[in-house]
Amino acid sequence: MAKFNLKLRQNRGRADGTVTAEGGPGFTREPRAELFLLAVSNMVGEDTFYEGAAGRDARFRDLVAAVAVADPDWFARFVPWLRAGAMLRSASVVAALEGARAQVAAGVPGSRAVVNAALQRADEPGEALAYWLGRHGRTLPKPVKRGVADAVGRLYHERSLLKYDSDSNAVRFGDVIDLTHPAAKDERQGDLFRHALDRRHKRDNPPPASLTVLAARAELMAMPVEQRREITDPAVLGAAGMTWEALAGWRQTTMDAAAWEAIIPTMGYLALLRNLRNFDRAGVSDAAAETVAATLSDPGAVARSRVLPMRFLSAYNAAPSLRWAYPLEKALQHALVNVPALDGRTLILIDTSGSMTSGFSKDGTLRCWDAATVFGLALAARAQDPTVVSFSNASRVFPTVAGESVLAVVRRFKDGGYFYGGGTETEKAVRTHYDRHDRVVILTDEQAYWHGSADVAAAVPARVPVFTWNLAGYRVGHSPTVGNRHTFGGLSDAAFAMIPLIEAGSRDHWPF
């Protein structure tokens, strides 16, 4: 999702040097808009094509500090949305902590609730404190300490302890409890806190009797290694809080079909999605595969998982078996439920220049042009009369086929040689292919090459809306956002729902 109708400060000429990374005329953004666009596309600590990790992260911290103090109400809505709406973990944690630091220094209240809202998984309190200790030292402001403690009360339980409290972490559950002193919500959680402290300080105390999941796990761990492969009852493994990662280590051997079939019933949606190739390699039965397929294609499960649509493309590319193709296609269609059906004629331009090879997912399985292609072709599939164009230095119309599945059309786009990998001649592509269309949608990193035009969208009549999705979050954009020119950040199915809202006359709304 993204804010539309961002207010930009246009560079009135080239004298002040505001240009894109490719030398095109640039337009800088109002701080909230710049922060929003950077946040929804920022994989903290990762390089992009034009911007190194250190500079990018410093720009993010500076923007957070400025906006958190200048507009604390907006910031208090933004960070929870960034975590729960945009599903960005690292960016939301850093934003909450750096915003809290700036607000404490300025005497602005409210950061405790923001810190709490940014932490939604049980390993995140430890990650937050590791970040703070590494960057700012051991002095914790009260709002940070209390916000983390609030999250601990929500997130710490037996299964989360087993899954996330690892010797490999610099900040363990016990460290978080020591540093923030959370209040236990009941006696059982108090027992858990004491046990976490015992684990951290290597005190040889048995787990309290109330912690039955820990007791079940201890019983399994005491079993001789040679007998462990015989345990294939999902109920036994589930009672011990066994995840697929823990099961693989506990067995001390490769995961065979029996092991996968024992753990599949307790695996989460994303874990199933990531392991399709492993299921095939192990040779899981058709019955087990049907169970996985039913979960993957269930619309309710898709909605609850909050998995971004690009993940289905990643799984489709990784899984060698055709038995996953149809469930993944159905899942992707469910994940794209908010893509609107656009009437009239729509020009969709997909940037396949070299800079779009930057990683879009942190694990490197998807690039920016993969994400742009998924959404561009999904939008085309729902449009009444689409024209899809791949552009770089050259450009070419991609032929669409009515009723073709999104995953199949993405594969056809790739196999047909539509990924160019050259420069970013956006204005040239717009001028070449615009032909009385009712709207223009551009999926790009905005780093347009200079060819003498005032801005990219000037190639389209002012009455025609131009929607730009920026997938990289760079500071300088290729066009001002005024009138019928709209810039978005990030990609999710809900983002495209903004198109009909804007065309219907809505203006200046954030998605939170």
Side-chain angles (χ1 to χ4, degrees), residues 61 64-69 96-108 132:
R61 292 192 300 270
V64 164
V67 172
V69 172
L97 295 178
E98 294 293 345
R101 182 170 181 262
Q103 288 179 339
V104 168
V108 176
W132 185 277

Side-chain angles (χ1 to χ4, degrees), residues 10-11 58 64 72 78 86 92 126 176 190 200 240 242 327 342-343 400 428 481 494:
Q10 181 174 348
N11 175 28
V64 164
F78 167 64
S92 58
V176 175
R200 182 65 181 100
M242 193 72 77
L342 300 176
D343 60 8
T400 58
K428 177 183 173 183
T481 299

Side-chain angles (χ1 to χ4, degrees), residues 350-379:
I350 301 173
D351 181 353
T352 59
S353 64
S355 59
M356 290 286 284
T357 61
S358 291
F360 187 82
S361 60
K362 194 168 185 179
D363 61 8
T365 59
L366 289 176
R367 293 169 290 181
C368 284
W369 67 15
D370 293 317
T373 303
V374 167
F375 278 103
L377 297 177
L379 194 63

Side-chain angles (χ1 to χ4, degrees), residues 109-350:
S111 50
R112 173 180 180 174
V114 175
V115 171
N116 180 24
L119 307 178
Q120 295 295 322
R121 207 172 76 177
D123 58 334
E124 291 170 5
E127 289 188 7
L129 290 180
Y131 174 86
W132 185 277
L133 295 171
R135 178 158 289 278
H136 302 302
R138 292 188 62 85
T139 301
L140 288 174
K142 285 185 178 179
V144 172
K145 182 183 294 186
R146 291 172 179 169
V148 173
D150 292 341
V152 166
R154 289 187 291 107
L155 300 171
Y156 280 14
H157 50 73
E158 289 180 80
R159 293 177 187 273
S160 64
L161 181 88
L162 288 170
K163 184 171 184 178
Y164 295 118
D165 187 39
S166 167
D167 286 332
S168 63
N169 295 329
V171 179
R172 301 276 302 274
F173 275 38
D175 297 317
V176 175
I177 294 166
D178 267 338
L179 289 168
T180 65
H181 307 293
K185 61 185 177 182
D186 55 32
E187 185 176 347
R188 187 174 183 182
Q189 191 176 54
D191 289 342
L192 180 75
F193 288 173
R194 285 187 290 275
H195 179 67
L197 290 168
D198 286 344
R199 281 165 58 106
R200 182 65 181 100
H201 298 296
K202 303 186 184 303
R203 293 192 284 259
D204 192 20
N205 296 325
S210 63
L211 305 181
T212 56
V213 177
L214 295 181
R217 175 66 70 88
E219 184 176 342
L220 289 182
M221 296 304 295
M223 183 177 293
V225 172
E226 59 272 14
Q227 297 179 16
R228 295 178 182 181
R229 295 187 65 180
E230 301 173 9
I231 305 300
T232 57
D233 185 346
V236 172
L237 298 177
M242 193 72 77
T243 62
W244 72 269
E245 300 98 330
L247 179 63
W250 176 68
R251 286 165 53 87
Q252 297 186 26
T253 185
T254 57
M255 291 280 285
D256 57 19
W260 281 117
E261 289 171 17
I263 202 66
I264 280 173
T266 58
M267 290 175 68
Y269 192 94
L270 187 56
L272 293 173
L273 195 63
R274 287 173 169 168
N275 280 290
L276 299 181
R277 177 188 289 272
N278 289 330
F279 298 158
D280 285 338
R281 285 177 172 173
V284 301
S285 68
D286 288 342
E290 288 172 5
T291 299
V292 175
T295 300
L296 292 180
S297 58
D298 178 72
V302 173
R304 289 189 297 273
S305 75
R306 304 297 302 276
V307 171
L308 292 176
M310 290 77 70
R311 283 288 184 187
F312 299 107
L313 174 62
S314 180
Y316 179 73
N317 289 338
S321 172
L322 291 178
R323 64 182 174 180
W324 308 121
Y326 183 56
L328 288 173
E329 174 62 33
K330 290 176 67 179
L332 178 57
Q333 295 295 346
H334 295 320
L336 293 170
V337 67
N338 290 318
V339 173
L342 300 176
D343 60 8
R345 303 181 65 229
T346 305
L347 176 60
I348 302 168
L349 295 120
I350 301 173

